[in-house]
Amino acid sequence: LDNPPSTLTIATHKLESAMAEMVSTADIETYQQNGVVVLRNCISSDWISRLRVAVEKDLVFSGPRAEIYTKPEDPGLFFNDFYMYQRIPEFRDYALHGPGGEIAARLMGASRVNLFNDHLFVKEPGSLESLVRWHQDQPYCAVDGRQFCSMWAPLDPIPAETTVEFILGSHLWERWFAPFDAMRDGTVYGSQEFECAPDFEAERESHNIASWVMEPGDCLVFHALTVHQGKANLTVETRRRAVIGRFLGDDAVYSEREPRSEFPHKIPPLIHGDPLHNAPEDFPQVWPLS
């Protein structure tokens, strides 16, 4: 060969090939059309093991934003936390160097991806009050733009009884539903520009609802405007631990709303309309990796 490929070029092609196998063209089309796609065996067993260790650390040494929704007299435990990557090394390594950034880039068609936050759900067996009713993620966040997604990765087998349900195509409705306090009194809050969500549960037959049985190593990736709900964990023995990463693409900008959005918890050094990647200390870049 007159111009043999460099070692870096060969390595890059191998990475592109591996990612194409993990996230196919069909997966991209599904994500764009339905607002959600399930990817199988995309998270290594090593990551799963390390994240399980991290969850146990967080249950003992939880962060300032941790919430326990079950009452002391309730069976089970419904626990969630945010920004674990800022405190626990295993979460930080996964958030910044795991597969999420590249997967999000490929599905969203983004040239650069930044981490918005990470989020932990723990629903222990018998957690009766752990249903998270139909909602969208983006109205809770000070983010405008179409390239904003979540990657939901279970650390335990997810049977049909405890999975997440999605209304396919709802990310294309051009409708934003007001946030509400799902786990306390149901109070609706947020900007007046948002509409109150319909009773999607009563309208089930009118929507194309999908869900998947999953195993550790699988993940769900969904648009931040896709309407979804998480079922309670009524099983007797199966834990239901899931780690969520939320990712920003090229067009994601900071949106100052009144009242202020719940996330991010810390006000970034940005003004309305600034690209969120302009604040890398608050929203670190996770793809391409430097």
Side-chain angles (χ1 to χ4, degrees):
L1 294 173
D2 293 333
N3 296 294
S6 67
T7 302
L8 178 59
T9 300
I10 294 172
T12 300
H13 287 170
K14 287 181 178 178
L15 286 172
E16 290 175 348
S17 176
M19 183 50 61
E21 291 180 5
M22 185 183 299
V23 183
S24 68
T25 300
D27 291 327
I28 297 170
E29 292 174 353
T30 297
Y31 172 81
Q32 297 292 339
Q33 178 178 336
N34 292 341
V36 58
V37 64
V38 60
L39 304 176
R40 303 293 186 184
N41 300 312
C42 62
I43 302 172
S44 72
S45 58
D46 180 61
W47 280 124
I48 297 298
S49 297
R50 295 174 67 188
L51 288 171
R52 286 170 174 165
V53 170
V55 169
E56 300 313 306
K57 289 182 179 181
D58 198 44
L59 287 171
V60 176
F61 304 105
S62 55
R65 301 293 180 180
E67 299 171 318
I68 297 176
Y69 295 120
T70 40
K71 300 179 181 64
E73 64 272 19
D74 290 341
L77 171 71
F78 183 18
F79 170 95
N80 77 350
D81 202 358
F82 301 90
Y83 301 102
M84 304 86 63
Y85 82 96
Q86 296 177 353
R87 301 178 295 103
I88 298 176
E90 292 90 348
F91 279 128
R92 180 174 181 82
D93 197 19
Y94 174 73
L96 301 186
H97 305 290
E102 188 174 3
I103 288 172
R106 187 164 173 82
L107 289 172
M108 294 191 298
S111 63
R112 166 170 42 191
V113 173
N114 291 65
L115 178 71
F116 183 73
N117 68 8
D118 61 350
H119 185 183
L120 170 65
F121 277 117
V122 177
K123 297 182 180 182
E124 300 290 9
S127 300
L128 303 178
E129 302 299 325
S130 59
L131 171 71
V132 181
R133 292 188 289 120
W134 295 103
H135 67 284
Q136 300 163 311
D137 286 353
Q138 194 158 354
Y140 291 83
C141 305
V143 179
D144 277 334
R146 294 294 302 174
Q147 293 183 341
F148 186 21
C149 73
S150 298
M151 176 171 154
W152 191 94
L155 307 183
D156 305 287
I158 303 294
E161 294 80 9
T162 69
T163 193
V164 187
E165 296 184 302
F166 297 86
I167 299 181
L168 301 185
S170 53
H171 67 306
L172 301 175
W173 289 349
E174 301 295 337
R175 300 172 70 184
W176 290 51
F177 301 116
F180 59 93
D181 191 339
M183 302 313 303
R184 293 188 176 90
D185 58 5
T187 300
V188 177
Y189 61 94
S191 171
Q192 293 184 351
E193 65 188 276
F194 303 147
E195 62 178 294
C196 289
D199 186 350
F200 290 113
E201 194 62 24
E203 299 177 357
R204 287 185 71 96
E205 299 304 316
S206 301
H207 299 290
N208 188 3
I209 296 174
S211 62
W212 294 267
V213 172
M214 301 176 68
E215 294 292 334
D218 300 339
C219 75
L220 290 165
V221 185
F222 55 96
H223 193 284
L225 286 175
T226 303
V227 178
H228 60 286
Q229 76 168 352
K231 293 185 179 180
N233 185 5
L234 305 181
T235 65
V236 177
E237 298 180 348
T238 304
R239 304 185 76 183
R240 205 273 219 170
R241 297 166 291 178
V243 178
I244 299 92
R246 296 192 173 91
F247 299 102
L248 308 160
D250 303 312
D251 72 346
V253 298
Y254 183 60
S255 180
E256 291 182 343
R257 299 191 176 99
E258 183 59 41
R260 180 172 167 260
S261 299
E262 183 175 357
F263 301 98
H265 288 135
K266 174 188 171 186
I267 299 177
L270 299 170
I271 63 173
H272 182 77
D274 278 350
L276 285 154
H277 61 70
N278 284 0
E281 290 189 2
D282 296 83
F283 311 108
Q285 182 172 316
V286 294
W287 184 257
L289 296 175
S290 59

